[in-house]
Structures are given as C-alpha cells and as structure tokens.
Amino acid sequence: MRIDGVDVYVHWSVFVISGFILLGAFQRPAMSLVGLACYWCVLLLHECGHMLVARRKRCEVLGIELYPIWAITRFEMPKSKLDHSLIAWGGVTAQAVIALPLIAWVALFGYTRFEPINEALAILGFLSLGIALFNLLPFPPLDGAIAWRIFPELISRASSRRNKRSDERTYRR
C-alpha cells in the first residue's frame, strides 16, 4: 500500500490481529468492521502526521511500517533538533486534531443510538487521545523521548537571539 507516494509496510501480525477482530463479524458485523477500520485509522493517522511534518521540514519520508500496537515512520534525519522534535509532535498532533472534536461532540451531545457510530467515536476520540498522551511519555521508543526536547531547543534559540541583539546594541555604541 502507498499513502501519498510513501510505501506502507504492514507486518504479518497486523493481519492476524485484524483476523481476530473480524471473527466478531459473525455476531456483530458492523461493530467488527468499524472496530477494524478504526484500529487501522489510529495507526495510520499518527504516522501520517509524522509524514506530513517531515515533508514540511524537507525530509524525505522513506516509508511507514505498521505493527500491531505501534508503527514507525522512517525519514531522513532532519537538519536540526528543533525539526526532529516537531516531526515527533506531528503524530500526536494529527491524533489530537481528530480526537478532540469527537470528544467535544460526545461531551456536548452524548453518544448516538447507533452502536457502530458510538464505537468509532470512542476509538477515534477517547482511545486515540489516550494513546497519543501515552506516546508522549519521555521514554524511547515513544515519541515523547524526542518531542519534549522542543522546549530546551526553543529556549536555547530564544537565548541566542537575545544575546545577538544585545551584542548588536553594544557594537553600535
């Protein structure tokens, strides 16, 4: 499979998990199919967020690999630590962009009378946001190990700019 020209590799175990989800299709086909679609969407949504930010930072995206409970977006190393941190935030941000409006919908209007829609709201909203927040823990191989480096990098850059302006004022005197 390819997404926007990027090869997506799916580990065989993802198909095994998908098969187990589909086993429920005999009893509740709509619920099983919606659950399966949401499972794939959560994995792909996060990785597409990394892909989009990597491309914005002019890094070639080499591929996306999907595993049962995690995935990897492979890209060439960015030119700066700040860019690397931004790419790490891309996956979580993509999930939040979808999850937060769905959570707000449920908070404002509640669930519907249709179980498959409620399942999608729960998985793409609450579960996806929970997974995104877990992924921000500052431990490898989670994105948080790189994402949280954004703050020291921003502080360092701000300090450099402040020092440069101070040096320029001193030089003009």
Side-chain angles (χ1 to χ4, degrees):
M1 167 168 69
R2 291 174 69 84
I3 296 176
D4 199 22
V6 174
D7 289 329
V8 178
Y9 305 96
V10 182
H11 191 264
W12 63 267
S13 57
V14 174
F15 294 111
V16 172
I17 299 292
S18 298
F20 280 118
I21 293 171
L22 287 176
L23 284 176
F26 294 114
Q27 295 173 340
R28 301 176 82 181
M31 295 291 286
S32 294
L33 293 173
V34 167
L36 179 61
C38 290
Y39 165 66
W40 280 75
C41 281
V42 168
L43 286 172
L44 287 171
L45 177 65
H46 183 93
E47 298 312 313
C48 286
H50 291 309
M51 178 183 75
L52 290 172
V53 177
R55 284 184 167 173
R56 295 284 308 222
K57 296 298 172 186
R58 292 186 164 78
C59 297
E60 182 182 353
V61 179
L62 308 170
I64 296 173
E65 301 171 16
L66 301 180
Y67 297 95
I69 58 171
W70 82 92
I72 300 169
T73 300
R74 302 225 183 257
F75 51 88
E76 68 181 16
M77 188 56 76
K79 293 181 171 114
S80 72
K81 291 177 184 177
L82 180 62
D83 287 350
H84 201 188
S85 294
L86 290 169
I87 293 168
W89 278 100
V92 171
T93 303
Q95 281 181 270
V97 163
I98 300 300
L100 291 175
L102 295 177
I103 291 169
W105 174 273
V106 172
L108 291 171
F109 305 109
Y111 283 104
T112 72
R113 59 189 175 112
F114 304 104
E115 282 187 322
I117 293 173
N118 294 340
E119 181 181 23
L121 290 170
I123 294 172
L124 295 175
F126 296 97
L127 180 64
S128 182
L129 186 61
I131 290 169
L133 293 173
F134 177 80
N135 199 21
L136 283 174
L137 291 174
F139 310 109
L142 301 175
D143 289 334
I146 296 168
W148 294 112
R149 294 179 192 167
I150 195 169
F151 295 110
E153 194 62 30
L154 289 172
I155 291 167
S156 172
R157 287 176 180 232
S159 177
S160 291
R161 273 187 243 125
R162 203 175 17 234
N163 289 341
K164 185 176 179 182
R165 275 187 256 131
S166 176
D167 290 346
E168 287 173 359
R169 275 185 253 139
T170 304
Y171 181 72
R172 287 182 191 165
R173 290 183 188 180

